[in-house]
Amino acid sequence: MTKVILVRHGQTQWNLEMKYQGHCDVALTEEGIRQANLAANSLAEESLSAVYASDLCRAFATAECIAKKHQLQVKTIPEFREINFGKWEGLTYAAINDQWSDLMAKLLTHPDEIEIPEGETFRAVKERSTIALTKLVEKHPDQTIVVVSHGGTIRTILCAVLNIHLNYLWNIKQDNTAINILEYYDNQVLVSLVNGTHHLKVGSIE
């Protein structure tokens, strides 16, 4: 069995300001670093073979906290980036809604059908991220690996694994440093944890 632990990055300033980040490289806040260290503590007893992350700094910094506990180096894979929000990147929900109210309504109700101005579709994100994940599973038979990515990207992966239509991706909650666990067997994948945040409630940084 190959175990894949999917982790969302820690908090950023743009998370606090409700700004769409997408491919913009936004650093973790102090709270985000604290969350990342708590996630690292919760995974300290795992026997990890590798730690991967998207190449955006908020995911990489979160992954570094986890990798450090296991004396591993983080390997970056751009295919695990967040969706490219195009013209919406750096704008708040309210600002986007003012200019693209119809598209914003569709983003919330039919995300599978939306084409973000100069951005990417969720179908494209699902394809690139699941192809990359399949390659990692094949590369790490009977091992445990961590992949640190982004809320939208992780949701598309979970939709793919659970065979859920992408129009329901917002039904899957992903908090900052949420832990999700996938178990790959010969012909089956089991989702054993979604949006695990217990470490944020009871953890302490050592």
Side-chain angles (χ1 to χ4, degrees), residues 109-130:
T109 58
H110 296 84
D112 184 47
E113 301 165 18
I114 189 171
E115 293 188 10
I116 299 167
E118 298 183 14
E120 196 175 19
T121 65
F122 281 106
R123 291 182 190 181
V125 177
K126 178 183 173 182
E127 181 175 3
R128 63 170 159 82
S129 61
T130 54

Side-chain angles (χ1 to χ4, degrees), residues 69-85:
K69 293 275 185 185
H70 301 268
Q71 290 77 52
L72 294 169
Q73 296 293 315
V74 179
K75 301 171 185 175
T76 58
I77 298 180
E79 285 80 1
F80 289 123
R81 277 187 175 200
E82 180 60 284
I83 185 172
N84 183 344
F85 277 111

Side-chain angles (χ1 to χ4, degrees), residues 79-98:
E79 285 80 1
F80 289 123
R81 277 187 175 200
E82 180 60 284
I83 185 172
N84 183 344
F85 277 111
K87 286 189 171 183
W88 294 0
E89 297 197 359
L91 301 179
T92 63
Y93 169 86
I96 298 169
N97 199 45
D98 282 346

Side-chain angles (χ1 to χ4, degrees), residues 143-159:
Q143 295 180 344
T144 297
I145 63 172
V146 166
V147 176
V148 181
S149 184
H150 305 264
T153 308
I154 291 173
R155 286 181 174 95
T156 66
I157 291 172
L158 291 172
C159 283

Side-chain angles (χ1 to χ4, degrees), residues 31-43:
E31 172 62 11
I33 294 170
R34 189 187 76 88
Q35 293 170 340
N37 280 310
L38 290 173
N41 283 350
S42 75
L43 299 175

